[in-house]
Structure formats: C-alpha cells, structure tokens
Amino acid sequence: DTEVTQTPKHLVMGMTNKKSLKCEQHMGHRAMYWYKQKAKKPPELMFVYSYEKLSINESVPSRFSPECPNSSLLNLHLHALQPEDSALYLCASSQDLLDRGGYEQYFGPGTRLTVT
Amino acid sequence: GQNIDQPTEMTATEGAIVQINCTYQTSGFNGLFWYQQHAGEAPTFLSYNVLDGLEEKGRFSSFLSRSKGYSYLLLKELQMKDSASYLCAVSHRDDKIIFGKGTRLHILP
C-alpha cells in the first residue's frame, strides 16, 4: 500500500465554520506534511510532523491547527478562515525526515477548499 | 534570500528529448527534487539529487551541479502523457522544502 488518502476531496465552508481535513497513510512513514497550493502556483510547506511531534511550522496563521493523533493520521483543523485561504491542501508522507534519508515524499490527492 | 528559477512553459514534440533547467540561490542547501504534477492531481516524486552528477531513471534523468546552483531534468522519448508541470524543489538542512514555480510542458503530436 503506497497510498496517502485525504478526506474530504472537496470542502466549502463559511468564514465562521470549524472544519477538519484528514490524511491517512499505512506505509509506516514517520514524517508527515501539510502543503497549501493555490491555482497555478507551487505547493507551499505549512507543517511537518516527525514521529508524531510538530517539527516545522512555517509561520502559518493560528486559524490552521495541525494535529497528529497517531503515526498514521494527520489532521488539519480549520477555524475562522478567510476567502484567500481557498486552495488545494495537500498531505504528504515520507519514511523519515530528509536528514534521515526520507527524501521520497508521497502526496495524497488533496482537499480542494473553498471559503465563502 | 532564496530564489528558484525555472522556465514557465516549454513545448516539445512526441518522441523527442526535452531538458528543463532549474537554477537556485539558497543558503543551507541539502538537495534538489524534481516532481511531476498533472493538472488537478497531486505531485509525483521523480528524483532527488544530493551529489553532483547525472542520475538516470528510465526515460527521465536528473543532473545537479552544486557549485553552479544548477539542475536539469531530461525527458527522453517523450509521450503525450508527459504533458504536465515539472516542479523543481530545493531542500534545506533544516528539512524545509521550497518549490520553484514549475514548468508547464506541452507535448505536441
């Protein structure tokens, strides 16, 4: 199983809503990532988890709150988002962090988020 | 600062060879990725170069020159399904990954 799954595929939410994005992998990977990708732009790294601990937070606003309940799951909790947060949110995983040889990242299909 | 440059668009013919260049200026460089991304889909890993030189993987090869801050992705025997965006991304010693803006490759029959 070399798949990263993400749910939901599409999400429309108002600026006062609270929602969560979910990501799951069963490859035994110990590093997991959240990226944000706007249309026709490259992915931008948001968060990195290593062994279920937050390793990197790329100065992401607090309205995005990541959570790693266990080594297979990664959530992104959303609250009070703005219309400019509309984007494709990609989850990825790798065997380990880059400096430990985990360079091959497997991406999930993404959640397309629209904030109205 | 950090800067990653690659051409915005390229066009090539089915069966031909195309080279997509990427130049970078960054501190704390660790390695360089190439990803393929079809429209509406997630990126797919192609290669990761840490050392200077050419790495070949089937129809795709990737080259890195650390001293020149330069990499290229070489695609041979182009197929229509190779029409996609190709993303160059730099990894840093602190595990951060910065993507270039991508090169949209169009393959003509």
Side-chain angles (χ1 to χ4, degrees):
Chain A
D1 181 5
T2 58
E3 193 180 18
V4 177
T5 58
Q6 290 187 243
T7 55
K9 287 188 177 178
H10 301 275
L11 178 63
V12 179
M13 60 185 290
M15 289 188 284
T16 58
N17 292 159
K18 281 186 182 181
K19 297 285 184 183
S20 296
L21 309 184
K22 296 187 185 301
C23 173
E24 192 166 2
Q25 56 86 15
H26 295 286
M27 295 179 276
H29 288 176
R30 305 316 299 263
M32 296 185 77
Y33 309 77
W34 279 116
Y35 289 87
K36 172 183 177 180
Q37 186 173 26
K38 304 276 274 183
K40 297 190 178 180
K41 299 285 186 184
E44 295 175 19
L45 184 65
M46 299 175 72
F47 301 104
V48 180
Y49 271 81
S50 172
Y51 291 82
E52 300 157 50
K53 289 187 172 22
L54 185 63
S55 174
I56 295 174
N57 176 343
E58 283 285 47
S59 303
V60 179
S62 60
R63 57 185 184 269
F64 296 91
S65 175
E67 179 200 16
C68 191
N70 61 56
S71 59
S72 300
L73 290 174
L74 186 66
N75 298 324
L76 186 63
H77 303 298
L78 314 173
H79 174 55
L81 294 194
Q82 304 296 312
E84 58 264 28
D85 296 322
S86 298
L88 181 68
Y89 288 84
L90 292 162
C91 173
S93 72
S94 61
Q95 192 170 0
D96 209 323
L97 292 178
L98 282 170
D99 63 358
R100 295 180 207 146
Y103 55 83
E104 185 163 354
Q105 290 190 10
Y106 292 81
F107 281 83
T111 293
R112 191 160 298 282
L113 174 69
T114 303
V115 181
T116 60
Chain B
Q2 301 177 49
N3 197 37
I4 303 173
D5 282 317
Q6 51 182 133
T8 305
E9 287 193 76
M10 297 182 70
T11 301
T13 306
E14 193 176 14
I17 298 173
V18 72
Q19 177 174 313
I20 304 174
N21 295 326
C22 173
T23 58
Y24 62 89
Q25 295 166 313
T26 186
S27 55
F29 175 85
N30 195 46
L32 190 139
F33 291 93
W34 283 98
Y35 281 89
Q36 179 192 61
Q37 187 172 26
H38 286 97
E41 297 183 14
T44 304
F45 171 86
L46 292 177
S47 65
Y48 182 58
N49 292 61
V50 175
L51 302 176
D52 284 357
L54 184 69
E55 292 195 10
E56 298 185 63
K57 201 186 281 187
R59 293 190 298 116
F60 293 5
S61 303
S62 56
F63 172 84
L64 177 67
S65 169
R66 296 176 69 107
S67 61
K68 295 181 179 176
Y70 168 68
S71 173
Y72 68 73
L73 180 70
L74 191 72
L75 293 78
K76 301 176 187 174
E77 300 168 21
L78 286 170
Q79 301 175 10
M80 297 303 292
K81 67 178 182 179
D82 297 329
S83 293
S85 285
Y86 290 86
L87 302 165
C88 165
V90 168
S91 70
H92 297 85
R93 283 193 280 273
D94 59 3
D95 286 321
K96 294 183 182 178
I97 300 171
I98 308 292
F99 282 80
K101 293 182 179 175
T103 299
R104 278 195 302 280
L105 177 64
H106 306 279
I107 309 297
L108 303 177

